[in-house]
Amino acid sequence: MGEMVLKNLLVMKFGGTSVGSAERMRAACDLIAKEAARRPVVAVVSAMSKITDLLLDTTRHAEADDQAGIDRNLATLESRHHEAAAGLLPESEQARLQAAIGEVTADFRRIVSGIQMLGYRPLRAVDEAVAVGERLSALLVSEHLKSRGLGAVAVNAADVVVTDAVFGNASPMMAQTEEKAGATLLPALEKGGIPIVTGFNGATVDGRPTTLGRGGSDFSAAIIAAALNAAELWIWTDVDGIMTADPRLVPDARILPEITYSEAAELAWAGAKVLHPRTLAPLVEKRIPVWSKNSFAPEKPGTRIVPELGEGNTGAKAVTSMANVALVSLEPAAGAGGVHVMARALEALESANVEILALSSSSYRQSFCFLVRHDELERATQAIEAALALELTHGYVRGIDVDRNVGLLAVVGEGMRGFSGLAGRIFTAISREKINIIAIAQGSSELTISIVIRREGLEKAVRAVHTECHL
Ligand code: ASP
Ligand code: MG
């Protein structure tokens, strides 16, 4: 019977700005109600915009035993939600809803006093604390839908999404999640109900609260869509879809009607703030299509993200850039075993949890360089200095050179495969602007061409490449 009801299931995810006020929550509920009239719907909601930052900041005040800071933040937390509540339910329902909000914020107060008493923030306590933002928005959205006569139920994803125990950046355990999602969400759906599930959080097999990392609500929605074999996932944001470039840099950037999972993942990774980079992974196997849509302009088509490249959809798709990056270069002395040095350095970076954004090496001198984020740079250099202490002391490696004045430009498109000459045209377009190319990395998948250039030329290069590739 479950199969019948769940045919055509739609999972919709609403980001922080899409539930950022009573007005935005009403608009989200309009979208939910419209779809729920014709098919089963599960909604996944983020915390109201800026609330997660506020909650995190509160745990830091608690750690520092700063009572005034805690009180200030709690007042903001409560007033944002009480105000939204006032705009969502009739007067006669207010007392009950305000009390329900109070129950959730009381949980937060309890965790915060625990942290204050300990004087430090255990990761798992932080995870439980920050999930309060999503619990509050799920509560408000579901209560508003109920007041419209719809059978919405607020669900804490701690009862749905089963994860490993990597607090703060957990990964889902899909088999267990399928089981739990079935048990928690299917009965409601079969009765025609609309589960409103918290994004961002989950729990370990033994019930300890976790979160999936900042911006993780997209990932939550994908996990739930995969676990329930949804027909589609719609991700509602505040932009019209995925674009050929950042419109602040390239005024004539356009919305892409369709891109593939691989392209979207690559774009997310290369700095386009469209989707959480891990979002698409759970969907690949089940080939569930995703739409990225604007809740502020729902009539616009948005971008469709599909498993495979459509016919004739060839060429470069988009150009992205990252500004706050640094290039770290290592030059092993002649005969010092460059591959060995590189292996040791990469291993050190891996264990220091530094993400390498691009890597390039020259086989003759065996020098190599890699790109990291500014905020991971210190960790990166310390890790390498420790791992290569002996080589550095004895001159087998000629020091570590750091250049913070660089930027990364990435051109993405599955359809670039076999377009010989495209890379050359891109390099020429950049050089024509008199911008120095420092390093180039092209993945073997030919999905992305990454180019490291001087920071001051980054914006100009993005525009030049956008024009050259006819994006
Ligand atoms: N509220 C969480 C965050 O701000 C998760 C999300 O919005 O995706 O990181
Ligand atoms: Mg978000």
Side-chain angles (χ1 to χ4, degrees):
M1 185 190 143
E3 284 294 306
M4 284 280 297
V5 179
L6 281 183
K7 241 180 90 199
N8 211 16
L9 172 71
L10 172 62
V11 175
M12 287 200 202
K13 181 261 173 174
F14 294 89
T17 52
S18 298
V19 291
S21 64
E23 191 202 342
R24 296 314 308 157
M25 285 186 181
R26 282 174 180 275
C29 290
D30 290 344
L31 296 167
I32 295 170
K34 185 171 165 217
E35 295 307 315
R38 48 176 179 237
R39 60 197 296 191
V41 170
V42 172
V44 176
V45 292
S46 285
M48 295 178 77
S49 47
K50 305 211 176 77
I51 290 297
T52 307
D53 288 333
L54 181 78
L55 297 171
L56 276 172
D57 186 58
T58 314
T59 63
R60 287 191 204 100
H61 286 302
E63 183 175 39
D65 198 19
D66 168 14
Q67 189 62 49
I70 298 173
D71 292 342
R72 212 180 324 117
N73 283 8
L74 285 172
T76 310
L77 177 70
E78 285 169 356
S79 70
R80 273 285 295 285
H81 291 92
H82 286 312
E83 200 178 297
L88 287 170
L89 286 198
E91 193 52 47
S92 57
E93 299 282 319
Q94 282 299 321
R96 189 182 53 80
L97 180 56
Q98 304 289 0
I101 292 173
E103 268 172 43
V104 182
T105 55
D107 267 352
F108 183 67
R109 285 174 180 272
R110 175 182 55 76
I111 303 162
V112 164
S113 1
I115 291 174
Q116 194 175 6
M117 220 142 65
L118 285 171
Y120 87 106
R121 307 184 306 150
L123 278 177
R124 47 181 292 188
V126 173
D127 275 356
E128 187 178 3
V130 291
V132 160
E134 272 70 12
R135 285 169 59 198
L136 288 167
S137 56
L139 172 69
L140 292 176
V141 167
S142 63
E143 287 296 325
H144 180 66
L145 285 168
K146 278 193 224 165
S147 77
R148 292 187 182 189
L150 290 156
V153 267
V155 178
N156 187 338
D159 300 323
V160 178
V161 176
V162 182
T163 72
D164 61 17
V166 181
F167 299 101
N169 196 27
S171 297
M173 299 169 64
M174 285 311 291
Q176 288 90 332
T177 301
E178 268 170 39
E179 216 170 279
K180 270 210 150 173
T184 326
L185 305 177
L186 279 187
L189 284 164
E190 280 169 356
K191 279 185 249 141
I194 311 170
I196 310 296
V197 188
T198 58
F200 190 34
N201 70 323
T204 60
V205 177
D206 53 346
R208 290 174 292 161
T210 54
T211 60
L212 303 168
R214 289 309 304 273
S217 294
D218 290 344
F219 194 24
S220 304
I223 293 164
I224 290 166
L228 294 176
N229 283 307
E232 284 176 37
L233 167 61
W234 293 6
I235 296 186
W236 293 101
T237 67
D238 54 8
V239 291
D240 290 343
I242 300 175
M243 303 192 73
T244 54
D246 182 341
R248 286 165 304 184
L249 300 185
V250 183
D252 56 348
R254 6 166 236 104
I255 300 292
L256 288 156
E258 185 173 294
I259 61 171
T260 65
Y261 287 163
S262 315
E263 289 168 340
E266 203 78 12
L267 281 171
W269 176 85
K273 290 182 186 61
V274 286
L275 275 184
H276 186 276
R278 292 205 281 168
T279 305
L280 298 160
L283 306 170
V284 171
E285 198 186 314
K286 305 220 159 134
R287 304 172 63 85
I288 299 169
V290 183
W291 286 90
S292 164
K293 290 166 81 72
N294 189 351
S295 77
F296 292 73
E299 69 290 351
K300 295 197 175 151
T303 298
R304 186 174 151 85
I305 308 170
V306 295
E308 267 144 40
L309 202 60
E311 190 93 19
N313 202 357
T314 52
K317 291 284 170 52
V319 50
T320 63
S321 59
M322 273 191 208
N324 296 317
V325 293
L327 192 69
V328 181
S329 310
L330 283 176
E331 196 185 324
V339 173
H340 173 76
V341 169
M342 185 155 148
R344 297 272 300 279
L346 293 180
E347 197 169 44
L349 293 171
E350 158 71 20
S351 41
N353 206 5
V354 172
E355 189 177 6
I356 300 169
L357 301 168
L359 177 73
S360 179
S361 76
S362 115
S363 54
Y364 168 56
R365 290 174 62 194
Q366 301 198 321
S367 64
F368 64 98
C369 58
F370 56 86
L371 198 73
V372 296
R373 295 193 172 83
H374 277 174
D375 50 17
E376 297 186 352
L377 177 60
E378 204 180 299
R379 262 202 345 266
T381 50
Q382 280 170 359
I384 291 180
E385 274 164 12
L388 297 177
L390 271 176
E391 285 84 348
L392 285 162
T393 323
H394 297 296
Y396 292 124
V397 175
R398 301 215 179 104
I400 305 172
D401 183 55
V402 175
D403 188 348
R404 297 172 64 99
N405 187 26
V406 298
L408 175 72
L409 178 149
V411 187
V412 175
E414 275 198 69
M416 296 193 299
R417 226 167 260 164
F419 265 54
S420 62
L422 182 64
R425 270 171 45 215
I426 291 170
F427 303 145
T428 310
I430 295 175
S431 309
R432 214 183 290 130
E433 301 292 329
K434 306 213 166 20
I435 299 161
N436 254 343
I437 294 179
I438 301 168
I440 296 163
Q442 180 168 21
S444 46
S445 67
E446 293 181 57
L447 191 65
T448 302
I449 301 173
S450 303
I451 306 168
V452 180
I453 57 179
R454 283 272 146 252
R455 171 65 192 88
E456 59 272 15
L458 189 58
E459 286 81 6
K460 225 177 174 186
V462 167
R463 282 189 285 272
V465 171
H466 193 266
T467 308
E468 181 63 39
C469 296
H470 308 292
L471 298 175

